[in-house]
Amino acid sequence: MKRESRGIQSIEVGGELLRALAKSGEPMMLRDLAREAGMTPAKAHPYLASFSRIGLIEQDEATGRYEIGALALELGLISLRRLSGVRIAQPKIAALASQIGHAVSLAVWGTQGPTVVQLEEPGQPMHIVMRVGSVMALLETATGRAFAAFLPEKTINAALGSGLDRHGVGYNPKRAIKGAKVTEMLAEVRKHGLARALGDPLPGVNAFSAPVFDHAGHVALVITAIGPEGTFDARWDSPIAHALRDCAGGISKRLGYGLTIAAE
């Protein structure tokens, strides 16, 4: 029988607060967070104070609500990067950025939606709104649309129904895409194998996004190329589009996509 290592009970107890906060996915008041963790607010508060000091959580001074802190986000990103698909893709997108001379990002589907885990910037300076850790709007950005077009419909409907899109970079309630326009937009993405954004949501900036598939045919990652509209050729058959498709296809192949195993 395997002997369990000795632990520190207080850390395990406090961990229930972190687990409750992660499960919620939204900032929480002390009383609600304590209740979900199965303890009283008085017992929970010292744990939260310590977690705040080391950056695992943060408290909004205006609302008093607690949310995931910088250290927790950093640990989460490290975990995401360790996924095999991300490890395989990292050097590939660095090479792609060098090839096309534009910024290239890598995103995964996280608990909050399309989440950027790597960003390779070109030699020339460029202002872009995304950074590592950014969550991109699902329907308003090329990155989000690439996920929306190839993830299961029930996953996308659940995300949109929960209001997930409202918290992403690029979301604008005045220009929210709805109904038949969503269907038409996602059909175009599937037709070309790419999502495209032309000066929207960031004026003067174009983008292409391509999905990467795993061995089971599920979208595992999305690669996005971004650049100024003056130098970023956004035609569907442009060199940038071809290079992005080739890059995504190569990574998909490394992940086993399209391979068949003969029966013995």
Side-chain angles (χ1 to χ4, degrees), residues 135-155:
V135 176
M136 309 305 292
L138 190 54
L139 297 180
E140 286 76 15
T141 64
T143 300
R145 292 168 189 166
F147 276 110
F150 295 102
L151 279 172
E153 187 176 359
K154 64 180 181 181
T155 299

Side-chain angles (χ1 to χ4, degrees), residues 40 55 206 226:
T40 64
N206 292 338
I226 321 108

Side-chain angles (χ1 to χ4, degrees), residues 52-173:
S52 294
R53 290 191 189 104
I54 62 175
L56 282 174
I57 64 169
E58 295 176 356
Q59 185 179 27
D60 188 300
E61 294 182 1
T63 66
R65 295 178 183 271
Y66 292 92
E67 59 185 318
I68 295 297
L71 177 58
L73 290 172
E74 185 177 348
L75 292 172
L77 287 170
I78 291 171
S79 178
L80 288 172
R81 290 193 187 105
R82 291 187 63 190
L83 295 172
S84 61
V86 175
R87 289 202 307 272
I88 291 170
Q90 283 179 329
K92 303 292 185 183
I93 73 162
L96 177 62
S98 177
Q99 177 187 351
I100 65 176
H102 292 291
V104 178
S105 71
L106 182 66
V108 301
W109 182 260
T111 56
Q112 301 301 311
T115 305
V116 177
V117 294
Q118 185 180 357
L119 179 63
E120 295 290 338
E121 299 193 56
Q124 69 269 27
M126 175 187 167
H127 174 70
I128 52 178
V129 294
M130 70 166 60
R131 56 182 56 86
V132 172
S134 291
V135 176
M136 309 305 292
L138 190 54
L139 297 180
E140 286 76 15
T141 64
T143 300
R145 292 168 189 166
F147 276 110
F150 295 102
L151 279 172
E153 187 176 359
K154 64 180 181 181
T155 299
I156 300 306
N157 289 340
L160 294 174
S162 67
L164 194 70
D165 206 33
R166 299 170 193 163
H167 305 290
V169 172
Y171 179 76
N172 185 335

Side-chain angles (χ1 to χ4, degrees), residues 32-61:
D32 300 322
L33 186 51
R35 183 185 67 249
E36 291 300 314
M39 61 182 76
T40 64
K43 181 178 179 180
H45 187 266
Y47 288 105
L48 296 175
S50 292
F51 289 153
S52 294
R53 290 191 189 104
I54 62 175
L56 282 174
I57 64 169
E58 295 176 356
Q59 185 179 27
D60 188 300
E61 294 182 1

